[in-house]
Amino acid sequence: MRTKLREIFGSDPLQWMGKEVTVCGWIRTARGQKSVTFLEVNDGTTALNLQVVIGAEIDPDRKLLPLLTTGSSVKIRGSLLQSPGKNQALELRAEVVEVIGFCDPARYPLQKKEHSFEFLRTIAHLRPRTQTQGAVLRVRSALAMATHLFFQERGFFYVHTPIITGSDCEGGGEMFRLAPTPDNEGKAHDFFGKPAYLTVSGQLEGEILALALSDIYTFGPTFRAENSNTSRHLAEFWMIEPEMAFADLEDDIECAESYLKYCVRYVMAHCKEELSLFERSLEPGLLARLEQVISHPFARIPYTEAIDILKKAPRSFVYPVAWGVDLQSEHERFLAEEYCKKPVVVTDYPKELKAFYMRENPDGKTVAAMDLLVSRVGELIGGSQREERLDVLEHKIASRGLRKEDYWWYLELRDYGTVPHAGFGLGFERLLLFVTGMENIRDVIPFPRFPNHAEF
Ligand code: 4AD
């Protein structure tokens, strides 16, 4: 039976002392000395490598040695013993060594210890084997688990909304359209009888389900055809969208703050090795920053006040600031990183800046919107209370030049037993940037899609 390295490193080393185990993995480094060979083996289940010691008696005529190369896959049986080295408590004294798949060192691209993230992006089939990528992927898995635990513990139901959709939720014209398909005679036609798109958000369908089940959340792939070649945008990303019936903007903000804190706490408890790796190699001070996030209430600023703060900021911005302009990443980061020095929720944006579905405030100028801004990333969450008044919504749809017929079902939800409701969307990859200290969103999703890039 194979033992995963996570089992060995995840418990008290004393418990493993003297135990016979079989481990499998890929060689990270190999050092052949006169009578003994040292391997660093990793199986992707933990950030830590297992040191394997192969004595001369295992390989008396040195036939094995040339096969023990970086990248080769191996299966090793042996005993775990106390290590005299200062880097690890345990090492594996090999008794049987099997090379499962040889890896030619003359051609294998992952030879060096450190490769640039740009280079690694060109070999997305191999980069998950690197220490940093492995750690990112394990944190990604943990954050998915934290998401389900948080919402399930609060009584939310996990629902699935369609990936192919006919409705434009955000109204930004950033949808990927499905190409017409040939019919039996080879003539191109719209498969669904009308134009169809990849979804930009599951929110509208999520509202349908919340207005039947009370509290729901979606967690799925989302697509935006915006030509944003930035370190914060992807053409395909994952979004978590809770939607709550009988809830207002306050409930929405409370849920968003609790959810983010839950995620950070969960990763701090379950991904210690990964976080200390990021702290060492990516962002000194990461753990202190995360500790800050969970131990203080988030700041809150209405949009109008945020504009005043930005106008008085002791620095200049590339994009000028005035009431009515959308906040740019530089403004968002200033507010979170420098002014508040913690996550900040900006509320009540001008209605012209936001989507048609947001609830209009009594001032007639702003809507009950909220964006959660954090350091390094800027906007991590966008949400709002939804317009539940039929007449107001009808008016909004008309005034934006949208077609009432396209939203007939959305309007009927307001006609048949309407209730106040609210929700938000969190970009999963931006959460990963925030928690890991990684700089580029293309490095926190295994197969990134962005303009001119859809490899694999
Ligand atoms: O602010 P957005 O566009 O909100 C919505 O889609 C709403 N329907 C959500 C809701 O209320 N249910 O997107 C929500 C979040 C952003 O805050 C950001 O974190 C992320 O999704 N996001 C992206 N992440 C990566 N690449 C992109 N191109 C993104 N666009 C948005």
Side-chain angles (χ1 to χ4, degrees):
M1 242 265 288
R2 169 195 173 198
T3 305
K4 289 187 179 169
L5 298 191
R6 192 179 181 81
E7 287 174 59
I8 297 172
F9 291 123
S11 50
D12 181 1
L14 283 178
Q15 185 193 315
W16 291 94
M17 220 60 95
K19 284 242 167 86
E20 174 137 316
V21 293
T22 299
V23 300
C24 298
W26 292 268
I27 298 175
R28 284 247 165 99
T29 59
R31 273 186 298 131
Q33 293 182 350
K34 242 201 211 133
S35 58
V36 67
T37 301
F38 293 100
L39 305 180
E40 294 282 330
V41 173
N42 188 281
D43 65 1
T45 62
T46 160
L48 301 171
N49 298 333
L50 180 65
Q51 169 153 294
V52 178
V53 185
I54 304 173
E57 71 285 2
I58 308 288
D59 188 20
D61 40 15
R62 296 304 229 191
K63 277 204 183 117
L64 203 53
L65 190 59
L67 303 178
L68 299 174
T69 55
T70 298
S72 291
S73 51
V74 287
K75 181 175 179 182
I76 297 160
R77 185 154 58 83
S79 303
L80 287 166
L81 303 174
Q82 186 170 6
S83 174
K86 57 179 174 351
N87 293 333
Q88 64 272 323
L90 288 170
E91 63 185 24
L92 183 67
R93 238 315 143 166
E95 281 146 30
V96 182
V97 176
E98 183 190 335
V99 177
I100 302 175
F102 173 66
C103 178
D104 183 354
R107 290 182 294 115
Y108 187 54
L110 291 180
Q111 289 295 336
K112 285 194 300 180
K113 256 204 148 143
E114 299 285 334
H115 292 279
S116 75
F117 292 137
E118 287 78 11
F119 168 70
L120 291 174
R121 255 174 249 146
T122 67
I123 48 166
H125 59 307
L126 298 173
R127 74 172 181 166
R129 295 189 197 175
T130 62
Q131 204 182 25
T132 306
Q133 269 299 309
V136 166
L137 291 172
R138 286 187 298 276
V139 171
R140 196 177 161 105
S141 170
L143 283 170
M145 183 68 177
T147 295
H148 286 297
L149 285 172
F150 174 80
F151 287 112
Q152 297 282 335
E153 280 168 14
R154 285 198 164 204
F156 284 59
F157 297 102
Y158 176 37
V159 298
H160 299 104
T161 50
I163 287 172
I164 297 174
T165 181
S167 41
D168 181 0
C169 175
E170 294 305 303
E174 294 157 351
M175 304 183 90
F176 286 105
R177 183 170 170 181
L178 266 61
T181 40
D183 60 14
N184 290 344
E185 279 121 45
K187 264 202 267 152
H189 76 138
D190 275 319
F191 183 92
F192 299 101
K194 62 174 196 167
Y197 306 88
L198 296 181
T199 187
V200 292
S201 160
Q203 178 197 321
L204 301 189
E205 294 90 352
E207 285 185 54
I208 297 179
L209 299 165
L211 294 176
L213 300 175
S214 280
D215 293 338
I216 60 93
Y217 67 105
T218 69
F219 183 1
T222 314
F223 307 88
R224 304 258 166 120
E226 54 198 347
N227 201 5
S228 297
N229 250 315
T230 81
S231 58
R232 306 281 178 267
H233 291 87
L234 288 165
E236 177 182 287
F237 62 100
W238 285 65
M239 184 151 56
I240 291 109
E241 293 184 277
E243 194 67 35
M244 296 165 280
F246 309 101
D248 61 14
L249 192 68
E250 276 301 309
D251 301 313
D252 209 29
I253 296 171
E254 186 282 320
C255 184
E257 178 168 346
S258 302
Y259 169 44
L260 179 56
K261 286 180 169 167
Y262 189 100
C263 286
V264 171
R265 245 183 255 118
Y266 190 88
V267 169
M268 290 178 88
H270 292 86
C271 303
K272 290 202 175 80
E273 291 303 339
E274 284 75 13
L275 290 185
S276 58
L277 171 72
F278 299 141
E279 164 101 29
R280 281 197 311 275
S281 62
L282 296 177
E283 186 193 340
L286 169 71
L287 289 169
R289 177 169 68 76
L290 296 179
E291 189 62 51
Q292 281 280 97
V293 171
I294 56 175
S295 46
H296 300 286
F298 294 176
R300 296 231 198 146
I301 307 179
Y303 169 89
T304 303
E305 206 179 307
I307 293 294
D308 285 341
I309 292 166
L310 291 168
K311 277 185 184 160
K312 291 184 199 141
R315 49 166 286 184
S316 58
F317 296 108
V318 178
Y319 293 89
V321 183
W323 200 94
V325 304
D326 211 356
L327 297 186
Q328 301 294 323
S329 178
E330 57 173 346
H331 307 135
E332 296 174 337
R333 290 185 61 173
F334 171 81
L335 289 169
E337 271 163 36
E338 294 177 45
Y339 186 80
C340 298
K341 298 192 169 60
K342 57 182 179 174
V344 51
V345 183
V346 176
T347 59
D348 305 300
Y349 284 74
K351 62 179 177 187
E352 288 77 17
L353 293 181
K354 293 291 186 184
F356 74 96
Y357 53 70
M358 297 196 183
R359 192 178 199 276
E360 199 160 304
N361 284 330
D363 63 12
K365 288 194 290 197
T366 60
V367 284
M370 64 103 171
D371 281 358
L372 175 65
L373 316 178
V374 297
S375 58
R376 309 175 54 80
V377 174
E379 181 192 328
L380 174 63
I381 288 180
S384 68
Q385 185 171 341
R386 319 306 188 189
E387 186 55 78
E388 87 286 13
R389 297 162 296 187
L390 181 62
D391 53 337
V392 182
L393 189 60
E394 275 177 334
H395 177 73
K396 275 189 137 181
I397 286 178
S399 68
R400 289 186 181 226
L402 300 171
R403 285 163 18 120
K404 205 173 147 185
E405 307 82 83
D406 292 342
Y407 296 93
W408 65 272
W409 50 272
Y410 195 70
L411 290 163
E412 278 198 3
L413 295 173
R414 276 71 183 165
D415 201 9
Y416 302 142
T418 194
V419 298
H421 60 289
F424 62 82
L426 171 140
F428 194 51
E429 287 72 23
R430 291 195 185 175
L431 174 63
L432 269 145
L433 291 179
F434 182 63
V435 168
T436 60
M438 292 291 281
E439 284 287 343
N440 195 314
I441 200 161
R442 297 169 185 179
D443 299 325
V444 294
I445 185 166
F447 307 105
R449 271 83 182 92
F450 51 91
N452 299 315
H453 186 97
E455 193 77 23
F456 307 97

